[in-house]
Amino acid sequence: MRALRPAAVAAIAAATAVTAVSGCAAKNDGKGSGDKGTVEVTATDTSCELSAKEFPAGHVRFAVQNKGSKVTEVYVYAPGDRIVTERENIGPGTRAEITAEVKAGSYEIACKPGMKGDGIRQKVTASGKGAGAKRDPKLDAAVAAYRKYVQEQADQTLPAAQKFADAVKDGDVATAKKTYALSRVGWERTEPVAESFGDIDPKVDVRADGLEKGQKWTGWHKLEKSLWEEKKISGDDKKLSDQLITDLKDWQKRVGKAEITPTSMANGAKELLDEVATGKVTGEEERYSHTDLLDFHANVEGAEKAYALLKPVVAKNDAALAKELDKQFKVIGELLDEHRDSGSADGFAAYDTVSKSERKKLSDGVNALAEPLSKLAAAVATAK
Amino acid sequence: MTHDDDTSTENTATESGEDTQTTEGRAPSRRSLLGWGGAGLAIGAVAAGGTAAALRTAGDTQPAGSDATAGSAIAFHGRHQAGIASAVQDRLHFAAFDVTTDDRDELIALLKEWTKAAARMTAGDAVGDGAVGGLAEAPPDDTGEALGLPPSRLTLTFGIGPTLFEKDGKDRFGIKARRPEALIELPQFPGDNLDKARSGGDLCVQACADDPQVAVHAIRNLARIGFGKVAIRWSQLGFGKTSSTTPDAQTPRNMFGFKDGTHNLAGTDTAALDKHVWVADGDAKGKESWMAGGSYLVARRIRMHIETWDRTSLQEQEDIFGRNKGEGAPVGKKNERDTPHLKSMLPTAHVRLAHPDSNGGVRILRRGYSFTDGTDGLGRLDAGLFFLAYQRDVRQGFVPLQKRLAANDALNEYIQHVGSALFAVPPGVRNADDWWGRALFA
């Protein structure tokens, strides 16, 4: 997909603004009477009109006509900006059809003239039974902002991973080593979401011990082993570096469809610390390169981001928890700072130089943060 | 080795009517709790010998079995903490903690929360809102592995290490001046090979229960409550109690196959407990007054060289202990509880050296456990005695005794002390408003 999405829109605010702008829309132009269950979407360079703003839940068809001069795309977003469905590359003067299974609830439809930005948005409602309870708009805002973050991380990972892949393809061991850990940061920051795509994770981030019988080892850690353990790059490794980019592009493209809820964000933050507790603090994750501390740091950053977005709600529901989390994030940050090394490629000391007692301190810090973090979901879930 | 011989104490606390409150309805009468069973396991040499007989005063003892089998609850509140004079349970999970916060209020809040959780768990109840039935999105308050299990005579005994008062020259929580004089730095004993990672600790909790799952559950939940304020420094699981505070019961055997601690203090022997185990009002004056009714706990991880021991002739094994292996009778005597004739033992015999008569009448209350932590990587059983001993003052109890043993005990060839810690064990939690360490921080 297109590269950066500067636009990934700060959801909520943007959504409101868009509605205002396109307030004009809304009326069907007479054609909407067609098939029941079909919503006509008329896109121009400045508007996005719908034949209906309310339709029955279930199988819904969106018939899109691009009357503008730019190539456009149309997205259907569930709350939190989760992509329900989308269609790109709708040329000027052409029609396209999008279908989706839509549950009862509130959605937004966005036309994106020029295929950029947040698009021109319309709020729509799928009616029917089972329309979920309304959730605090602050939480929807948090989810949308988090989704934006996740998308940005994926977008930023691609060029970093490309540098790494290029070095591998050049057979340049030294450069590949320097760019390896840095290419993983975006992935590590958003790991719970990244892992929700069960087919991508085993291709890009699996370790030797996670392989099933007969499974070919691909992804970062296979290349890590070649670089540090075997100290050479094979022909197969070069192919694997292309495969890594392909798989990461797949992730980048699909990440907007990930199911994210306030509680999954909260539990995702906790899971990031679980990753640290089981893989990083032990040195298992980066057993050849010993770049565990950068992963560790990225996991903590990702958790902190999710927490920061949920904090307005948490601070109201459980002020003591918010206070504890603020404190423990600070503590773990300071602990990690003790291991910064400006001389290393990734900015942190190699983990095999971290003593047992220092690892114990890090582990204690992780427990101190992860335990209150495990209470975050409850603080969000009880928010009404 | 250790000395364990004999002393036992218990929480007799209850007796005191002071506090009265038992949290638990199902608790059997305290009296029954105290039964004394077998005597101590020996290893801890100390006490051993002689006293034993004296201890078994009859009367209030109950056969150990009666309460032990019931899975009943032992009252948490009392003048002394439970888990000291209480009849020794079958299993142990002992944990030493480092305090990681430097905020006094936060530490106090934790101690209150711990006390509350301890009262619930020893009564057989779950922590907080329980293990199930809460919010589906959140982890439960209680970890749940003790659901459905009886209280199993769980006791949780809390202690404070010297480093809580002062560490690296710093008065950490404003209590430096209240450090009891008896809470010394233990001297280095000959033959010690102490692993720092298995020694010391700012706080400790001794969990004893008849069901290992119940003991592990208790420490696990306390650790969880403590994250961010304390961190586990080391812990030890134990089985096969090596000492008993109930002389009427069978004396347990240690990993060397010997009955050890025949003469441990009986938990019902209030006079002996007052003399040897509980800190008296007069001991704890002024800034130490918070320790009145408490005790001092020495914890030592004693590794046993199992394989070489097993290749030692029966005669030599018996000579080393000063008792026979089958009955446990002292050298030249017929029955286990016959008064030992120390002079007929080798001068280096464990019982002879550990006996109160060789130590100016000093006795300690032992309640150690055997441990086996798998193998050590060289194919040797990583096993031994986790020695726990309570006493009124280590300077009269463990220290001189261990000095004697470390210098002379024939058993030293087969054992090595690899972990060590000393804790001040405050008096009991009096009622629901009281908490572990309150008098210290008041």
Side-chain angles (χ1 to χ4, degrees):
Chain A
M1 61 168 24
R2 33 253 148 52
L4 286 224
R5 234 176 204 225
V9 180
I12 302 279
T16 327
V18 169
T19 313
V21 169
S22 56
C24 50
K27 282 275 129 101
N28 66 39
D29 57 2
K31 288 194 125 197
S33 54
D35 283 339
K36 220 175 143 202
T38 298
V39 178
E40 304 276 348
V41 181
T42 308
T44 72
D45 294 350
T46 55
S47 70
C48 186
E49 297 184 9
L50 308 178
S51 63
K53 292 204 159 188
E54 188 166 339
F55 44 81
H59 189 75
V60 181
R61 193 154 19 139
F62 299 92
V64 182
Q65 184 172 16
N66 184 358
K67 290 187 172 175
S69 64
K70 298 177 184 169
V71 177
T72 194
E73 59 188 352
V74 174
Y75 282 72
V76 178
Y77 289 115
D81 274 13
R82 178 174 69 85
I83 301 168
V84 177
T85 187
E86 44 97 27
R87 179 72 179 258
E88 297 174 33
N89 288 313
I90 305 169
T94 64
R95 287 181 167 275
E97 206 165 82
I98 313 175
T99 58
E101 282 298 320
V102 178
K103 286 189 221 158
S106 300
Y107 295 87
E108 286 185 351
I109 292 176
C111 302
K112 302 190 181 179
M115 294 175 54
K116 282 195 291 206
D118 297 332
I120 302 161
R121 297 198 180 199
Q122 298 279 4
K123 286 186 191 294
V124 297
T125 306
S127 54
K129 16 178 198 190
K134 280 245 159 133
R135 121 181 133 195
D136 183 339
K138 274 198 217 127
L139 291 175
D140 282 339
V143 170
Y146 185 65
R147 187 181 303 284
K148 179 186 173 198
Y149 171 76
V150 166
Q151 184 68 56
E152 284 169 353
Q153 294 306 312
D155 293 344
Q156 289 167 20
T157 294
L158 261 291
Q162 191 66 57
K163 266 190 206 167
F164 171 64
D166 289 347
V168 172
K169 280 200 289 188
D170 291 347
D172 181 348
V173 173
T175 305
K177 280 181 164 182
K178 276 186 198 151
T179 51
Y180 165 77
L182 298 169
S183 74
R184 294 173 43 76
V185 171
W187 177 273
E188 290 291 329
R189 281 179 181 149
T190 61
E191 212 163 351
V193 179
E195 286 180 346
S196 71
F197 303 106
D199 56 333
I200 301 178
D201 183 57
K203 288 196 276 191
V204 305
D205 198 31
V206 71
R207 301 194 299 258
D209 37 313
L211 294 172
E212 288 174 27
K213 201 176 171 197
Q215 184 186 345
K216 180 174 158 68
W217 190 13
T218 61
W220 272 303
H221 295 299
K222 165 69 177 73
L223 297 169
E224 180 203 2
K225 185 177 187 207
S226 296
L227 292 169
W228 274 273
E229 185 98 329
E230 278 133 37
K231 301 183 171 63
K232 60 175 193 245
I233 294 166
S234 69
D236 189 45
D237 289 336
K238 293 181 183 180
K239 283 186 213 146
L240 289 180
S241 70
D242 278 337
Q243 181 64 45
L244 177 63
I245 297 299
T246 304
D247 293 333
L248 291 176
K249 281 183 176 164
D250 187 23
W251 162 53
Q252 182 195 25
K253 182 162 176 118
R254 285 159 62 192
V255 79
K257 292 188 180 174
E259 179 79 36
I260 301 175
T261 64
T263 48
S264 80
M265 269 174 77
N267 280 321
K270 181 207 66 123
E271 284 159 24
L272 282 163
L273 268 294
D274 293 345
E275 291 279 337
V276 176
T278 55
K280 276 73 174 190
V281 91
T282 58
E284 285 170 77
E285 176 85 10
E286 305 289 0
R287 64 188 66 166
Y288 312 111
S289 65
H290 306 300
T291 55
D292 304 88
L293 284 171
L294 183 65
D295 287 5
F296 187 147
H297 187 250
N299 286 156
V300 170
E301 285 180 313
E304 189 161 20
K305 179 71 182 183
Y307 164 61
L309 293 172
L310 294 169
K311 192 174 162 186
V313 174
V314 177
K316 202 176 61 175
N317 287 334
D318 189 344
L321 178 64
K323 195 176 155 212
E324 180 68 13
L325 286 170
D326 286 342
K327 179 179 155 193
Q328 296 301 343
F329 270 115
K330 186 162 173 274
V331 169
I332 199 88
E334 288 166 358
L335 272 175
L336 281 165
D337 285 346
E338 291 175 17
H339 298 281
R340 286 193 190 268
D341 176 1
S342 55
S344 81
D346 68 4
F348 284 96
Y351 204 58
D352 56 343
T353 66
V354 176
S355 71
K356 207 170 157 189
S357 66
E358 287 170 320
R359 289 182 186 203
K360 166 82 162 56
K361 265 174 84 180
L362 288 166
S363 179
D364 289 343
V366 169
N367 282 330
L369 171 58
E371 187 63 29
L373 207 48
S374 74
K375 298 185 168 80
L376 187 60
V380 172
T382 50
K384 282 290 177 273
Chain B
M1 233 349 54
T2 32
H3 341 319
D4 314 332
D5 291 322
D6 349 317
T7 0
S8 36
T9 31
E10 250 314 333
N11 337 309
T12 9
T14 35
E15 61 195 251
S16 51
E18 308 203 4
D19 49 358
T20 20
Q21 284 237 61
T22 34
T23 17
E24 244 261 311
R26 9 190 172 155
S29 83
R30 246 279 180 241
R31 231 176 218 241
S32 68
L33 305 179
L34 308 179
W36 303 113
L41 309 178
I43 295 245
V46 174
T51 18
L55 313 178
R56 311 195 254 123
T57 40
D60 15 322
T61 344
Q62 274 243 1
S66 62
D67 49 308
T69 52
S72 53
I74 293 182
F76 179 71
H77 297 108
R79 177 167 137 68
H80 307 296
Q81 289 197 60
I84 302 172
S86 314
V88 179
Q89 301 91 326
D90 294 333
R91 303 289 185 139
L92 169 80
H93 189 185
F94 187 96
F97 295 85
D98 287 326
V99 175
T100 53
T101 181
D102 49 11
D103 181 334
R104 179 181 159 117
D105 292 341
E106 203 169 69
L107 174 60
I108 288 171
L110 170 69
L111 295 177
K112 288 178 180 171
E113 205 179 339
W114 262 8
T115 307
K116 208 166 163 194
R120 289 188 61 88
M121 290 191 286
T122 52
D125 295 328
V127 173
D129 290 336
V132 291
L135 266 185
E137 295 86 353
D141 286 350
D142 187 279
T143 55
E145 75 273 28
L147 272 182
L149 297 176
S152 308
R153 296 194 306 142
L154 172 70
T155 53
L156 293 168
T157 313
F158 167 77
I160 301 169
T163 45
L164 192 76
F165 296 88
E166 180 179 4
K167 197 172 185 179
D168 303 326
K170 202 177 143 203
D171 184 357
R172 302 170 71 193
F173 299 100
I175 53 174
K176 182 178 161 185
R178 310 195 72 179
R179 174 174 172 172
E181 283 182 19
L183 191 63
I184 57 172
E185 299 296 330
L186 288 177
Q188 164 87 31
F189 299 100
D192 279 4
N193 182 22
L194 304 181
D195 176 359
K196 275 193 176 166
R198 286 188 193 273
S199 298
D202 297 330
L203 302 174
C204 75
V205 178
Q206 168 198 284
C208 298
D210 290 329
D211 183 329
Q213 183 122 338
V214 170
V216 168
H217 168 265
I219 294 297
R220 173 175 166 192
N221 279 272
L222 294 179
R224 188 177 172 211
I225 291 168
F227 283 136
K229 279 79 81 180
V230 296
I232 292 221
R233 180 179 175 85
W234 54 270
S235 81
Q236 182 67 55
L237 293 173
F239 65 93
K241 58 188 179 190
T242 57
S243 303
S244 142
T245 49
T246 42
D248 287 357
Q250 178 78 258
T251 300
R253 290 177 188 272
N254 61 26
M255 292 293 281
F256 283 157
F258 277 75
K259 293 181 182 177
D260 195 5
T262 295
H263 294 289
N264 202 15
L265 286 170
T268 42
D269 187 348
T270 24
L273 295 175
D274 284 342
K275 184 170 177 196
H276 298 290
V277 177
W278 305 128
V279 175
D281 291 348
D283 299 346
K285 292 185 199 120
K287 292 188 165 178
E288 292 191 18
S289 60
W290 63 276
M291 269 300 286
S295 189
Y296 292 92
L297 168 63
V298 172
R300 306 277 286 186
R301 187 174 193 267
I302 303 172
R303 176 81 189 267
M304 291 173 162
H305 303 314
I306 299 291
E307 291 77 9
T308 51
W309 176 261
D310 291 343
R311 291 191 280 267
T312 302
S313 73
L314 178 61
Q315 184 62 55
E316 187 173 347
Q317 290 184 1
E318 292 185 336
D319 287 347
I320 288 171
F321 269 97
R323 289 181 181 278
N324 69 33
K325 199 166 185 176
E327 160 65 23
V331 170
K333 301 291 175 107
K334 198 162 155 226
N335 298 310
E336 180 193 344
R337 296 183 189 283
D338 289 346
T339 304
H341 182 249
L342 300 180
K343 292 205 171 129
S344 58
M345 297 176 184
L346 294 181
T348 56
H350 182 69
V351 168
R352 180 169 176 172
L353 291 166
H355 197 278
D357 290 355
S358 305
N359 293 280
V362 165
R363 304 177 62 197
I364 57 178
L365 169 68
R366 288 173 302 120
R367 43 184 303 136
Y369 287 81
S370 290
F371 70 84
T372 302
D373 293 340
T375 46
D376 66 357
L378 298 174
R380 305 180 304 180
L381 199 60
D382 182 1
L385 170 71
F386 187 65
F387 171 83
L388 294 169
Y390 288 88
Q391 60 239 278
R392 184 170 167 181
D393 190 330
V394 287
R395 294 168 299 182
Q396 274 93 57
F398 176 78
V399 172
L401 175 59
Q402 179 57 22
K403 271 189 179 157
R404 179 178 297 270
L405 289 170
N408 304 303
D409 192 353
L411 205 45
N412 290 336
E413 192 177 339
Y414 300 96
I415 61 170
Q416 186 167 49
H417 289 231
V418 295
S420 175
L422 174 62
F423 300 96
V425 176
V429 174
R430 301 307 179 95
N431 52 47
D433 298 325
D434 195 5
W435 41 276
W436 279 339
R438 187 186 63 169
L440 170 60
F441 287 98

